[in-house]
Amino acid sequence: RVWRPAKSQLYRNIYTAAAVVLAAQAAHAVVSTSGGVPRWSAGAVGLAVLALAVVSYALVNNILVITVIALQDMPATGRGRLRHLLGKVDDIALETATLSLGALTAVSVTLNPWLVLLVLVPLVVLHRADMARQLEQRAAMDGKTGLLNAAAWHDKAERALRRAQRQGVAAGVLILDLDHFKSVNDTYGHLAGDAVLAAVAATLRAEVREGDVVGRFGGEEFVVLLRDLDLTSAGRRQMATIAERIRSRVAELAVAVH
């Protein structure tokens, strides 16, 4: 899993492998301190030891990974969002399921090593589910900006609108079109144009709330669905304020062209 990503820099592979090893050492220290892998007869105490080992692994691994992500992202965006750093709920659930399966495997090995064969089936299923989820995410993303593509944005925006109707709140849509973008491509080349699109996308992500839906509609057009707005004129004023803030931030952008 560490070496599989294509064109990954060597230092990233080394850091990721080191994070996994250190996290495993932390889990091992917890189990060793308690007298080794608990037997089935250990009851609630054994379960608590395994749970603490799983938590130790997750804490050490996530702290090491989140730290470098925060250091990399904060200079570019000016902020670090906790939910962005921790990942989505599905990611956390998958990691928890994998670690729990590892704990069960450890206990099974102490009883009968052949029981490991029973672990292979759920392990393969988890791996395939993770790969399918990653493929779905890639299919929904715009390659140049990392935002949702038009089809994925439309689907997610529809769900957000239905949720707003059930909750009795308003939602609004902002459509953004970059002025003079063609002249950027004509003057500096399409690579410079791609850099501008990526910079605008980063600005949009930074200026909207976590639950808002941001996508690239095509070309130099972007679209934002703002959730949980007030049904009164206050909601319209909030939309206008956000739109003006985005406009001013984009106007202030300076993109280096090499």
Side-chain angles (χ1 to χ4, degrees):
R1 290 183 62 186
V2 171
W3 291 95
R4 187 168 184 173
K7 299 180 181 179
S8 180
Q9 295 92 334
L10 178 61
Y11 74 90
R12 290 191 175 185
N13 293 328
I14 294 175
Y15 188 90
T16 303
V20 171
V21 171
L22 290 173
Q25 288 290 337
H28 174 71
V30 171
V31 175
S32 298
T33 303
S34 64
V37 178
R39 302 283 180 171
W40 292 114
S41 57
V45 175
L47 177 61
V49 171
L50 291 177
L52 184 58
V54 168
V55 170
S56 299
Y57 182 101
L59 280 176
V60 173
N61 186 69
N62 280 286
I63 287 173
L64 291 172
V65 173
I66 286 173
T67 299
V68 294
I69 293 177
L71 290 175
Q72 181 180 4
D73 288 352
M74 287 182 68
T77 63
R79 66 183 69 181
R81 294 183 176 178
L82 183 60
R83 186 176 298 180
H84 167 69
L85 295 175
L86 291 177
K88 298 181 179 178
V89 175
D90 291 342
D91 298 326
I92 298 174
L94 179 63
E95 182 179 7
T96 303
T98 305
L99 292 176
S100 299
L101 184 60
L104 290 174
T105 304
V107 175
S108 299
V109 168
T110 61
L111 295 175
N112 184 352
W114 288 101
L115 292 176
V116 175
L117 296 176
L118 297 178
V119 180
L120 293 179
V121 175
L123 184 62
V124 171
V125 171
L126 274 175
H127 177 69
R128 288 186 175 274
D130 183 41
M131 293 298 294
R133 182 179 56 84
Q134 292 182 26
L135 289 174
E136 289 178 357
Q137 290 177 347
R138 290 179 184 178
M141 294 297 173
D142 174 69
K144 293 182 179 180
T145 62
L147 300 176
L148 294 174
N149 58 33
W153 182 89
H154 187 273
D155 180 65
K156 196 168 183 179
E158 277 192 336
R159 294 200 300 268
L161 286 174
R162 289 194 295 267
R163 188 183 305 112
Q165 289 178 342
R166 291 194 303 268
Q167 296 175 348
V169 296
V173 175
L174 302 178
I175 299 177
L176 303 89
D177 186 278
L178 299 182
D179 295 334
H180 314 300
F181 181 73
K182 185 177 183 301
S183 64
V184 174
N185 284 331
D186 294 341
T187 305
Y188 301 102
H190 288 279
L191 291 179
D194 292 346
V196 170
L197 292 176
V200 172
T203 301
L204 287 177
R205 284 192 295 263
E207 294 301 328
V208 300
R209 299 162 300 179
E210 191 67 29
D212 296 332
V213 187
V214 186
R216 182 186 178 200
F217 219 57
E220 65 271 26
E221 295 177 346
F222 297 85
V223 63
V224 180
L225 183 136
L226 301 174
R227 297 172 49 186
D228 301 331
L229 298 177
D230 197 282
L231 286 170
T232 64
S233 59
R236 291 190 291 273
R237 289 194 299 269
Q238 186 180 3
M239 276 191 65
T241 300
I242 295 173
E244 176 58 26
R245 188 174 68 237
I246 291 174
R247 187 205 64 76
S248 62
R249 294 290 187 274
V250 172
E252 295 169 357
L253 278 177
V255 180
V257 178
H258 301 287

